[in-house]
Amino acid sequence: MKSFSTNISKSFSELVYAKTKLVPRGRVTTYGQIAKAIGKPKSSRAVGNALNCNPYAPVVPCHRVVRSDGKIGGFAYGAKAKAGLLAKEGVKVIDGKIMDFPKKLFKFGK
DNA sequence: ACGGTGACGCTCA
DNA sequence: TTGAGCGCCACCG
């Protein structure tokens, strides 16, 4: 398991959590957006890796982070649970895909 | 340092 | 439009 860094300094994962926390309710963002926001547009995979081990479970709304193609992607508690949470916030999900994805998509400082 | 793994992203058929 | 392939980066043993 990719337990979060034991380092005190702001590691890659910490940056990911910080960005994810900024996503407002009823909106979603993508792994790629977060990667870009932290200055590493190609670290989308690493972003997912960090969220997977997200130690700030209730603090970081990791369920609001989806794939760039509008798919739910994955979730530690199951993609189904993720879809349910999003639906509660107003983001309809059908068969693992976000409805009106571009509309619900949230971008950082852009 | 190296190889394996993964909640990704883009391109091509 | 959907699926397969390849490349990307960070973390672990």
Side-chain angles (χ1 to χ4, degrees):
Chain A
M1 95 109 81
K2 321 287 184 263
S3 40
F4 58 104
S5 58
T6 51
N7 197 319
I8 319 118
S9 307
K10 294 279 186 189
S11 61
F12 179 84
S13 303
E14 300 257 332
L15 294 173
V16 175
Y17 307 141
K19 293 298 176 185
T20 307
K21 274 194 301 192
L22 301 178
V23 181
R25 183 175 169 290
R27 283 282 143 72
V28 296
T29 190
T30 71
Y31 301 95
Q33 283 302 321
I34 295 176
K36 234 176 210 281
I38 62 182
K40 298 182 190 304
K42 301 205 185 143
S43 308
S44 53
R45 290 193 85 148
V47 172
N49 222 333
L51 287 174
N52 180 18
C53 201
N54 125 35
Y56 303 83
V59 187
V60 179
C62 45
H63 61 276
R64 292 182 193 149
V65 186
V66 299
R67 294 180 39 150
S68 63
D69 56 3
K71 289 278 197 65
I72 289 296
F75 193 54
Y77 297 87
K80 208 174 166 79
K82 187 171 181 177
L85 287 167
L86 288 173
K88 273 176 165 291
E89 300 190 344
V91 182
K92 302 292 198 306
V93 180
I94 293 184
D95 192 36
K97 299 179 249 341
I98 308 287
M99 286 181 74
D100 301 314
F101 178 54
K103 215 187 290 197
K104 307 289 183 181
L105 182 58
F106 174 80
K107 290 163 189 175
F108 298 94
K110 278 221 60 198

